[in-house]
Amino acid sequence: MTDIKTGPANPSRRTAIKTLAGAGAAAASLPLWARYTHAQTAEPIRIGFQMHATGIGSAYGRWYDRTTQAAARLINEAGGINGRPVEIITEDDGTDPKRGAEVVEKFANQHKCDIAYGTLFSHVVIGSAPRAGELKLPYFVVSEGHHVASGMLNRWTVQPGITDVKSQVKSMAPFVAENLGKKVTMIFPDYAFGHDHRDFFSEAIAEQGGEVIAKLAIPPSETSFTKYFAKIPRETEVIYHVMVGPAVLTFVKEMGEFFGPSRPQIFGFIDSLEAVDLASPGLEFLEGTYFWEGMPRYAQPDQTEFDKHYREAIGIDENGASVNDPKDVSTYAHMFGCWETLYVIKAGMEAAGYAGPQDRQKLIEAVEAMTEWPESNEHPQGPKLFNGKTHQVFGPQYISVVENSRLKVVQTAAMETGFYPDEVDYTTQSF
Amino acid sequence: MDFGPHLLLAAIEGAVTAAVLALMAAGLSLVFGVMRVVNVAHGEFYMLGAVLAWVVASTLGAHPALGFVAALAIAPLIVGAVAAAADMTVLKRLDYDPERTIVATIGLLYILQQLTLMGYGPEARPVAPPFNQRLALPWVEWGDGGVQLYWPWGLSVTTYKLFVIGAAGAVLAGLWALMTRTRIGLVMRATQLDGEMALAFGIPVERVYAGVFGLGAALAALAGVLIVPIQQAHYLMGGDALLLSFIVVIIGGLGSLAGTVIAAILIGMSDGIISVFFSPTLAKIIATLLVAFVLVFRPQGLMGKPPR
Amino acid sequence: MSARVFALHGGLIAVLLALHFLLPVYHHGNFARVMVLACYAIGYNVLFGYTGLLSLGHAMFFAAGMYGMGLPLHYLGIGAELAFLAGLASAALLALVVGLLALRTVGVAFMIVTLMFSEAVYLTILLAGRWTRGDEGLVLARPERVFLGLDLSNPDIRYLVALGLFALCLVGTLWLVRQPSGRVLIAIRENEERAQLLGYDIFRHKLAAVVISGTISGAAGAAYGLMFGYVGASFAEVQYSIFPLLWVLLGGAGTIIGPFFGVLFMFYLIDLSSGLTSAYMLIAGVALVLLTLFAPQGLAGELRRRWVRWLP
């Protein structure tokens, strides 16, 4: 089973596991056609979708769900995976790590899901991943956190659909230093996600000859921000901001009111305004400020066929809002990760000849063996490079400027600018 | 920013927080004082006020000022009616038992949150303020030629924030007049002192309770409407607001309107002013411990009477 | 201890042991969780149900146990056994300090003071983000989670260890409330002035109750972290102070078995209704309102009121 010494386990269970492993080996040794016919007569492939339907992640959760359903529909229309339809089993985790771990158990043991997938908030990922590892359940997260690549999780946890924050931040530093200024004040939430921004960007901007002159960590659940802006040093050339949660709009609005007509350059992560209409009252001052975008929310003049296809499938207009309600703005910079992850799962299952839970380990190994995915309908955000050792994908990043309350891409940072040395090799760990 | 302007800025921000907090806490204090129950769903009435403000303003779609004024009138009425209905169908049947009321209002909290999530969605939505002029503020310094005025970077306030402070003051003054100068207030105070005695004197205590619960909720909703042009409506916004106003009520001393207002100013201001001296999270810790120690050394609150 | 009291509580433990062999795998895992959380509720009940002190800050004790265990285990590698003791010690120490200060107050002031201390603990965890990793928290690796030779990542062992801890807490509190000093606690709940007139040192008894309650809550926190391999700041948030109050009120305050049924009921209320509809919070809310209307003493309390008057 594992290389960890275990105490006296229940003998009947141990035998059961052995039998199961034997059956898995037997299934794997069957000829391909036998597996295929078996697969065709089998049940749908069940993907457990851990959704932030309630709690602070719910604005993201809703769009993660819409993206997931659209991609699953397309996959099924194109014949499913290995000839089997895909079924998405959704469970709400309340954006809470405790419930998240319970939901992973529910997927594995109650719903008999093949894999778990779709978590965004880092603390939910980190709270759930140990259980996924113990249950030997492949766990595909769409979180942009650095937790996977930092090595703190396990071999069963993979992030193949969205670039992690370390890489995102690193590839922004050259643009900030060259175009906006060298003296940066950072404003970020005072928890791990914000600390990642603080540490990685401080390091990256120093490499570019710049300097972070002040770091303002905002406590969680804060609702008024002006009092903190007063701590911004006068010599600041660039404000770097990233906020999450329901108070983001207040944050950006109060920043505008604070500076009035004499603002420094402002560079922010779109997380500060994800799911928020840029034409909202109070955001006029953002004109001419810059944003990181995971994927351009507004359709650009050089929009690819793939982006068009992707928007159409989910039902998003050229402004990144729902076609049914232009006020319903999507979390466009993150949710592509769900789409791309589902296609990676499909590719991985096909490469592994996945037939059922006994092939879970082969699925992980197949995904680890993958490297490149070109820009395509399956990967509309851009070309991707997957690092099987760190279980982390890399892709291009977009830098946009606000013009007439729309975001216009001014630079695309190639994925190479976000590379950093491996911090872990999961392939050497046991299953 | 220099120390002086920074302190002024923090004080102004603190005053806005204090104004909204005072309104909301006054509602909680009223319910607490008269009915002796902790209404855990009070924060949700505040949230409902904000959400309804968005609904009213976006349905009318007219000039921001018109939508806002309509919301100011409609939202507290609806929320007050919802609360009074909850009182008559649930709380009354619990005989206002303190512990059972806590569980029941937690249930009410879940219901209101989930209904809002289903009907309104998980987004934070803004309402345009009726007016919002940025006013840069001057500061004095000793220059070469004596006292000089200058305009420090970032030192400013908006007209809407000033309006919130004024409006909250006016509503609280009205509430005070209601409690001390009218027959309704007399009835409420009589019920607060001794419910059974009030009943014996022919006061319809049940209706008073429903009215008080509705009025308390309406005050929270009003605070929600006032804050929404600054902070946006979100279905989870009630939690922190509830905690803060709960603290304000206890620090102020049970059932004392004056104490509640003083405590709201103290807590609203201290949060801002402590943040001048410390890093933000450390400032929060210190402000939190300060509240605890006020109560440790003055358990009856600032304006409460010591127990006999 | 009377025979029927012994039979009832021994019976519950025996049933839970039997369920170990009978439960389907998913519910087997859930029950392990429920038993650990029931220890938390039992700890809360000592203070609330038996002594009559309503705390809104018990998450700080749960978190003190969890971090007191997790940080030394993760950074110093002291082994799960010592780390568990460190968790207990942290919770006990915190409870002592909080008790000394907060017990100067009563009623709602006590609620606020505990709430504030708990909030300060939560913010401190975030402030010490370099070590605690703030809200993200820490993963405890499987080799670290071996307690007295038992691998707690194994579901069977986890269930039995959870049962052992639960049985210990259950029997321990049963013993406590039947002690003379435990009866003083109940006397304080019923009429503090009379207890004082009878010559009991109220403050010392209350302080002991806070420390015992905090330590049991801390044990639950430490066990939870060890068993499920995760230590995170969300467990110190205010909602984790509300939960034990809710569980105890639902199960029956001032009953020994009540907390367990409160946790079990609440867990399955959420779990089952979330399977039926995405609006499960609505169902949970309605259920809470109905329960307070029709079972005001909580589940076990109602049992005691109607049928089983001897229930401790």
Side-chain angles (χ1 to χ4, degrees):
Chain A
M1 292 199 294
T2 60
D3 56 354
I4 298 162
K5 192 175 165 294
T6 56
N10 185 333
S12 65
R13 268 175 206 248
R14 180 170 277 182
T15 349
I17 289 167
K18 268 190 189 152
T19 325
L20 211 69
S29 62
L30 283 175
L32 201 61
W33 61 266
R35 269 190 268 163
Y36 195 59
T37 45
H38 168 75
Q40 270 187 324
T41 56
E43 300 242 299
I45 287 181
R46 295 161 75 85
I47 297 181
F49 172 38
Q50 198 178 24
M51 177 180 167
H52 303 327
T54 55
I56 53 164
S58 46
Y60 281 94
R62 207 149 78 126
W63 282 100
Y64 267 41
D65 183 47
R66 290 177 186 171
T67 312
T68 300
Q69 302 298 345
R73 196 189 69 234
L74 287 193
I75 289 174
N76 281 335
E77 282 171 8
I81 299 177
N82 290 341
R84 293 164 61 185
V86 170
E87 187 185 350
I88 302 288
I89 317 273
T90 308
E91 282 279 351
D92 178 22
D93 60 23
T95 327
D96 175 62
K98 171 178 166 284
R99 184 63 193 155
E102 291 165 11
V103 162
V104 164
E105 282 173 21
K106 201 171 183 181
F107 287 145
N109 293 332
Q110 177 85 336
H111 295 308
K112 307 290 175 202
C113 289
D114 293 278
I115 61 165
Y117 144 93
T119 329
L120 167 66
F121 273 57
S122 296
H123 60 314
V124 185
V125 171
I126 296 170
S128 307
R131 296 298 296 127
E134 287 165 21
L135 294 162
K136 303 186 182 302
L137 184 73
Y139 185 38
F140 289 82
V141 300
V142 191
S143 146
E144 77 172 345
H146 181 56
H147 36 57
V148 175
S150 73
M152 83 186 287
L153 302 179
N154 53 57
R155 194 156 180 193
W156 294 92
T157 309
V158 197
Q159 183 154 255
I162 187 164
T163 311
D164 72 330
V165 60
K166 183 167 188 174
S167 176
Q168 291 171 359
V169 167
K170 204 169 177 317
S171 57
M172 292 300 109
F175 177 84
V176 172
E178 282 161 29
N179 301 290
L180 304 181
K182 306 259 190 208
K183 288 186 175 158
V184 184
T185 291
M186 296 186 71
I187 309 173
F188 51 88
D190 197 5
Y191 42 79
F193 170 73
H195 298 166
D196 280 352
H197 271 273
R198 176 194 65 196
D199 298 342
F200 300 144
F201 187 77
S202 301
E203 198 184 305
I205 196 82
E207 284 170 17
Q208 302 293 327
E211 184 195 0
V212 176
I213 55 173
K215 299 168 182 175
L216 297 179
I218 309 289
S221 76
E222 181 56 90
T223 49
S224 100
F225 302 91
T226 308
K227 54 182 181 264
Y228 304 128
F229 294 137
K231 290 183 183 274
I232 298 171
R234 187 67 177 93
E235 67 267 30
T236 298
E237 293 168 0
V238 191
I239 303 277
Y240 176 110
H241 66 91
V242 52
M243 286 296 289
V244 286
V248 288
L249 185 52
T250 317
F251 168 78
V252 179
K253 213 162 75 70
E254 293 197 343
M255 187 156 66
E257 281 161 7
F258 176 81
F259 287 122
S262 54
R263 66 164 173 82
Q265 292 283 5
I266 295 179
F267 176 87
F269 267 63
I270 196 69
D271 307 53
S272 295
L273 284 176
E274 195 72 314
V276 173
D277 192 346
L278 282 179
S280 297
L283 296 189
E284 301 79 13
F285 88 100
L286 281 176
E287 285 294 311
T289 72
Y290 295 86
F291 278 100
W292 163 90
E293 287 194 283
M295 188 172 178
R297 178 193 293 183
Y298 293 86
Q300 301 295 312
D302 60 345
Q303 185 192 21
T304 61
E305 281 305 304
F306 316 127
D307 184 61
K308 210 172 263 174
H309 166 79
Y310 168 77
R311 278 177 203 263
E312 211 174 272
I314 308 173
I316 298 177
D317 66 16
E318 56 168 16
N319 297 323
S322 163
V323 285
N324 302 318
D325 177 5
K327 290 267 168 220
D328 188 3
V329 178
S330 68
T331 58
Y332 207 77
H334 295 86
M335 65 201 219
F336 71 87
C338 290
W339 178 282
E340 299 204 359
T341 301
L342 278 177
Y343 276 105
V344 171
I345 291 169
K346 176 176 189 286
M349 285 186 164
E350 284 166 359
Y354 185 90
Q358 70 278 8
D359 293 336
R360 281 173 180 162
Q361 182 176 330
K362 280 166 50 187
L363 169 62
I364 292 290
E365 285 167 339
V367 173
E368 280 171 351
M370 295 181 166
T371 50
E372 275 182 77
W373 298 301
E375 190 168 15
S376 56
N377 274 345
E378 289 77 32
H379 296 276
Q381 188 259 355
K384 294 283 166 344
L385 192 72
F386 183 69
N387 184 337
K389 287 182 177 167
T390 63
H391 284 192
Q392 177 61 52
V393 79
F394 295 87
Q397 311 297 322
Y398 299 91
I399 299 160
S400 306
V401 66
V402 182
E403 261 184 28
N404 304 321
S405 294
R406 293 168 62 92
L407 285 159
K408 191 182 110 188
V409 175
V410 290
Q411 199 178 92
T412 304
M415 66 170 94
E416 291 76 15
T417 57
F419 287 169
Y420 54 85
D422 291 0
E423 292 165 25
V424 64
D425 184 354
Y426 283 115
T427 58
T428 61
Q429 296 182 4
S430 61
F431 278 99
Chain B
M1 191 181 274
D2 294 333
F3 179 73
H6 189 172
L7 203 63
L8 177 63
L9 187 78
I12 295 171
E13 290 303 309
V16 177
T17 312
V20 176
L21 202 52
L23 265 190
M24 195 178 159
L28 192 65
S29 171
L30 197 63
V31 172
F32 215 7
V34 176
M35 301 163 70
R36 300 279 158 200
V37 294
V38 178
N39 174 20
V40 183
H42 194 67
E44 305 318 307
F45 294 136
Y46 167 76
M47 177 273 287
L48 274 186
V51 167
L52 285 174
W54 180 86
V55 173
V56 170
S58 62
T59 316
L60 281 179
H63 187 268
L66 190 65
F68 181 77
V69 170
L72 217 45
I74 298 172
L77 277 181
I78 298 180
V79 173
V82 169
D87 174 78
M88 286 188 282
T89 49
V90 179
L91 298 193
K92 191 177 94 183
R93 301 185 53 191
L94 299 175
D95 292 330
Y96 304 100
D97 175 89
E99 282 161 14
R100 289 163 68 195
T101 307
I102 290 179
V103 184
T105 47
I106 289 177
L108 196 59
L109 174 153
Y110 283 160
I111 295 172
L112 293 177
Q113 272 190 7
Q114 181 73 50
L115 288 177
T116 310
L117 179 63
M118 281 157 50
Y120 169 82
E123 290 87 6
R125 297 177 203 245
V127 170
F131 45 85
N132 199 31
Q133 197 64 41
R134 180 182 189 273
L135 303 175
L137 297 177
W139 188 254
V140 287
E141 66 174 357
W142 294 101
D144 301 330
V147 180
Q148 288 180 332
L149 274 186
Y150 77 113
W151 270 260
W153 191 51
L155 182 61
S156 66
V157 67
T158 63
T159 47
Y160 183 75
K161 284 183 175 172
L162 293 177
F163 164 76
V164 169
I165 299 173
V171 172
L172 287 169
L175 185 67
W176 179 78
L178 179 80
M179 291 299 284
T180 53
R181 296 276 184 273
T182 66
R183 207 185 123 67
I184 301 175
L186 185 68
V187 166
M188 282 194 211
R189 281 180 293 143
T191 316
Q192 173 168 1
L193 281 176
D194 191 333
E196 281 175 27
M197 188 68 86
L199 196 62
F201 274 94
I203 293 175
V205 171
E206 280 189 3
R207 267 195 283 163
V208 173
Y209 276 6
V212 165
F213 203 69
L215 180 60
L219 282 170
L222 193 62
V225 178
L226 283 177
I227 200 68
V228 73
I230 302 178
Q231 276 185 12
Q232 298 89 48
H234 184 263
Y235 87 104
L236 292 174
M237 69 192 288
D240 289 313
L242 169 74
L243 285 185
L244 274 177
S245 50
F246 192 31
I247 293 160
V248 162
V249 170
I250 307 305
I251 291 275
L254 274 184
S256 158
L257 187 60
T260 301
V261 173
I262 292 172
I265 294 171
L266 206 68
I267 289 190
M269 296 291 237
S270 69
D271 203 37
I273 289 174
I274 292 173
S275 75
V276 173
F277 299 99
F278 300 96
S279 76
T281 302
L282 191 59
K284 276 254 187 273
I285 296 178
I286 293 170
T288 308
L289 288 176
L290 203 65
V291 172
F293 280 102
V294 166
L295 283 178
V296 165
F297 295 106
R298 200 178 158 79
Q300 72 272 28
L302 295 175
M303 301 290 277
K305 293 170 193 69
R308 283 153 291 166
Chain C
M1 198 180 291
S2 78
R4 51 191 181 182
V5 170
F6 184 79
L8 176 77
H9 297 89
L12 176 63
I13 294 167
V15 167
L16 286 169
L17 185 63
L19 285 176
H20 169 57
F21 301 100
L22 300 175
L23 279 177
V25 56
Y26 174 60
H27 299 286
H28 184 263
N30 288 345
F31 267 68
R33 246 175 233 285
V34 166
M35 284 188 289
V36 179
L37 294 176
C39 295
Y40 183 23
I42 287 173
Y44 188 82
N45 195 27
V46 168
L47 195 62
F48 173 61
Y50 285 101
T51 319
L53 287 169
L54 200 163
S55 145
L56 284 182
H58 257 51
M60 67 180 146
F61 303 129
F62 192 80
M66 190 177 243
Y67 279 93
M69 176 278 300
L71 290 177
L73 181 63
H74 189 75
Y75 289 105
L76 306 176
I78 59 173
E81 299 82 4
L82 265 183
F84 185 76
L85 290 180
L88 286 192
S90 317
L93 187 67
L94 180 67
L96 184 68
V97 174
V98 168
L100 282 172
L101 290 168
L103 285 175
R104 296 174 54 100
T105 64
V106 289
V108 281
F110 183 79
M111 290 158 67
I112 297 291
V113 171
T114 47
L115 179 72
M116 291 291 96
F117 279 124
S118 185
E119 184 72 4
V121 166
Y122 168 64
L123 290 169
T124 306
I125 292 172
L126 296 187
L127 192 69
R130 180 184 298 177
W131 300 283
T132 61
R133 292 289 299 157
D135 65 313
E136 265 190 7
L138 303 167
V139 170
L140 301 179
R142 290 172 73 176
E144 292 171 342
R145 290 158 55 200
V146 178
F147 188 82
L148 298 174
L150 302 168
D151 176 10
L152 293 178
S153 63
N154 175 302
D156 297 304
I157 294 173
R158 177 163 47 217
Y159 186 96
L160 294 174
V161 170
L163 178 58
L165 183 71
F166 173 68
L168 203 66
C169 291
L170 192 78
V171 174
T173 47
L174 186 59
W175 175 81
L176 176 73
V177 301
R178 309 205 131 218
Q179 286 298 298
S181 52
R183 296 195 177 274
V184 176
L185 295 182
I186 300 177
I188 293 173
R189 177 189 73 192
E190 294 302 323
N191 192 332
E192 185 167 334
E193 280 168 27
R194 186 182 297 169
Q196 196 161 20
L197 286 176
L198 289 171
Y200 292 112
D201 186 339
I202 305 291
F203 186 83
R204 274 182 55 184
H205 276 92
K206 279 186 179 175
L207 186 61
V210 172
V211 173
I212 293 170
S213 171
T215 310
I216 298 177
S217 305
Y224 202 90
L226 270 179
M227 286 179 185
F228 300 100
Y230 174 68
V231 170
S234 63
F235 291 101
E237 277 180 40
V238 61
Q239 77 209 56
Y240 281 88
S241 292
I242 306 287
F243 284 147
L245 171 65
L246 200 55
W247 294 329
V248 167
L249 283 174
L250 282 177
T255 64
I256 293 291
I257 56 168
F260 171 76
F261 287 106
V263 178
L264 190 69
F265 178 84
M266 198 64 200
F267 185 92
Y268 275 99
L269 181 64
I270 298 279
D271 196 64
L272 295 177
S273 54
S274 77
L276 292 176
T277 158
S278 57
Y280 65 91
M281 295 285 280
L282 192 62
I283 298 185
V286 171
L288 287 182
V289 171
L290 291 179
L291 207 71
T292 45
L293 281 176
F294 299 109
Q297 309 283 319
L299 299 169
E302 206 59 19
L303 214 62
R304 171 159 65 189
R305 192 171 69 85
R306 291 185 188 212
W307 298 292
V308 202
R309 302 208 53 94
W310 47 267
L311 196 71

